[in-house]
Amino acid sequence: MSTLGALLKRDLAAFLPGSTRGNSLLPLLFFLAVAMLYPFAIGPDAELLAATGGGVIWVAALLAAILPLDRLLAPDVENGFFDQWALRGIAEEMVVAVRLLAHWLSFGPFIILAAFPASALVGIDNETLHTVLLGLLAGTPGLAAIGIIIASVTVGLKGNAALSGLLTIPLAVPLLIFGAGSLSSGGEGGIALTGAISLVLVAIAPFAGGAAIRAAREG
Amino acid sequence: MEPCRLSAKDLACRRGERLLFTGLSLELGAGQALHVTGPNGTGKSSLIRIVAGLLRPFAGHVEHSGSMGLLDERLALDEHLPLGKALRFWEQVDSCSDPAMSLATMQIEDLLEVPVRYLSTGQRKRAAIARLLNGGRNIWLLDEPFNGLDTQACEALEALLALHCGGGGIALVASHQSFTMDGVKTLHLPEFEA
């Protein structure tokens, strides 16, 4: 129990916005920047903006989730943290599960909050915002899980930042289809499917991540 | 506590296409220390990692009873944190109640406020040794522990090794440097070259 607490405390200190590692506010700012730039690029067509704004928020959330991937697991493997944990009998799966929670907490809730100002920037109405918020709540844990899986698979590679971003995008397509798709169907069906995909991803992420980190050790 | 033990039978290690060593067996009981020697690239670090269970041997197997602690060139301390905070994480994980002793032994009390990334090679090594001490492990696996240490710190580490083995612990030390310790056996890795 004390181990779990220590792990979570260290992870939160490293990943929450305003943490000591410094660049943890970037995903949030990036998310807002995309939402802000979009109306400039599209022009002042309120109808068009309102129709597409929800989808843009989703794409911005996906891109923001990709940003911290290269520092999610790789530094701890390089610095020997995972070796030390292994010698203490602390399973990689547990470390990865804790890291997944910390990673989601570091961007999920903040992006959901930032969706309020973002919705004003892209000019979507309250009802659409409601669907976007529920969708993000259901979808961001899945985005975090994909991030963890990709970060663990690319752990031993040099210059893994660009590659992990590229690998994340196809995996995130189902989440995006159902999450952003719920906007046009106006509905709970899409959000429920988004939540289901998220749950599956969250369930397999610790095991996939643990296996990938052990495999990287043998290399 | 049952006495700790470390034994390996017919170990072979392959890195890429090269067989580094083969037919290596060792048997260590409580209070014994083994100095693994050999030029660079003969597999000292690989042997340590195999014994630690971090690397699968190409052949053979390792058995041990007792907890293992590893000290290698990787610090496992958060670079951006002050040393005191970085060490505290491991104190919590290891449920260490009295970390002050090891800090004093390794003479790093004055460095606790300094971020880890500003420490010198020797200071980093001393911090890693303090982390090992706080872990309270039975079997020490040390990979080049004397690298970067000054004379005084080397002597302190020799004393710690003697104390550790005197208290029924086991030490496996891979180092190209010689060190003085009573009753230490030596294993010259090139003798097991394939």
Side-chain angles (χ1 to χ4, degrees):
Chain A
M1 205 53 222
S2 70
T3 307
L4 264 182
L7 283 174
L8 187 62
K9 214 171 92 187
R10 170 173 180 267
D11 284 0
L12 288 179
F15 292 111
L16 279 191
S19 76
T20 38
R21 278 193 199 177
N23 48 358
S24 50
L25 261 180
L26 278 182
L28 195 60
L29 295 175
F30 190 77
F31 174 79
L32 284 173
V34 172
M36 195 188 75
L37 283 176
Y38 182 66
F40 286 117
I42 292 298
D45 184 344
E47 216 167 292
L48 183 64
L49 276 177
T52 54
V56 170
I57 289 185
W58 263 96
V59 172
L62 166 63
L63 294 178
I66 290 176
L67 277 186
L69 289 194
D70 59 323
R71 61 195 179 87
L72 213 46
L73 290 164
D76 279 359
V77 172
E78 280 158 24
N79 280 329
F81 275 94
F82 275 93
D83 290 349
Q84 295 289 339
W85 285 320
L87 277 161
R88 286 162 175 79
I90 301 170
E92 286 82 4
E93 281 80 1
M94 187 171 101
V95 179
V96 172
V98 171
R99 187 66 48 92
L100 171 58
L101 177 64
H103 174 42
W104 181 75
L105 284 173
S106 74
F107 81 92
F110 298 99
I111 277 183
I112 291 169
L113 281 181
F116 286 99
S119 71
L121 287 168
V122 296
I124 57 178
D125 57 36
N126 272 342
E127 200 181 327
T128 319
L129 175 63
H130 184 72
T131 317
V132 168
L133 288 178
L134 280 179
L136 285 179
L137 191 62
T140 45
L143 289 179
I146 294 173
I148 285 276
I149 294 172
I150 296 298
S152 61
V153 169
T154 56
V155 107
L157 305 176
K158 292 264 173 286
N160 54 20
L163 181 63
S164 25
L166 208 59
L167 286 172
T168 305
I169 290 168
L171 282 177
V173 165
L175 279 174
L176 214 58
I177 288 177
F178 292 119
S182 67
L183 292 167
S184 51
S185 63
E188 290 166 2
I191 292 172
L193 276 170
T194 311
I197 297 172
S198 270
L199 280 179
V200 171
L201 286 168
V202 167
I204 62 171
F207 300 100
I213 288 168
R214 275 193 298 276
R217 191 178 281 146
E218 292 282 330
Chain B
M1 188 190 80
E2 66 170 321
C4 50
R5 202 175 64 83
L6 177 67
S7 76
K9 270 203 181 62
D10 291 327
L11 285 185
C13 169
R14 197 181 79 165
R15 302 298 279 158
E17 290 299 299
R18 232 155 58 86
L19 204 56
L20 287 181
F21 54 78
T22 178
L24 188 154
S25 297
L26 56 90
E27 180 76 50
L28 291 172
Q32 289 185 308
L34 183 67
H35 181 193
V36 182
T37 61
N40 301 143
T42 43
K44 296 192 296 291
S45 298
S46 297
L47 175 63
I48 292 275
R49 287 182 72 78
I50 286 174
V51 171
L54 296 171
L55 196 65
R56 241 195 307 257
F58 183 57
H61 60 97
V62 180
E63 278 175 29
H64 71 94
S65 63
S67 54
M68 296 203 279
L70 172 74
L71 174 73
D72 59 7
E73 83 285 8
R74 291 188 291 181
L75 209 52
L77 294 172
D78 283 310
E79 296 280 327
H80 59 281
L81 287 183
L83 179 61
K85 270 193 172 170
L87 282 171
R88 201 162 309 132
F89 169 72
W90 289 110
E91 288 159 18
Q92 284 168 351
V93 170
D94 291 328
S95 323
C96 171
S97 51
D98 183 24
M101 260 271 277
S102 54
L103 301 183
T105 313
M106 292 327 294
Q107 299 184 332
I108 49 174
E109 305 120 304
D110 298 338
L111 303 171
L112 294 183
E113 299 301 320
V114 182
V116 175
R117 62 171 180 273
Y118 293 141
L119 297 181
S120 74
T121 316
Q123 288 169 334
R124 287 164 164 265
K125 203 63 157 197
R126 293 202 305 228
I129 295 170
R131 191 198 62 220
L132 177 77
L133 286 173
N134 287 339
R137 307 271 127 179
N138 304 126
I139 304 171
W140 282 5
L141 306 172
L142 314 183
D143 187 6
E144 299 291 358
F146 295 98
N147 269 10
L149 292 181
D150 57 23
T151 327
Q152 198 190 2
C154 278
E155 283 166 9
L157 180 56
E158 285 172 359
L160 284 171
L161 274 169
L163 204 65
H164 175 66
C165 291
I170 290 176
L172 186 64
V173 185
S175 173
H176 62 268
Q177 274 161 289
S178 58
F179 62 97
T180 41
M181 187 183 167
D182 288 335
V184 64
K185 291 188 282 185
T186 304
L187 184 147
H188 195 55
L189 261 188
E191 290 168 15
F192 298 92
E193 210 170 335

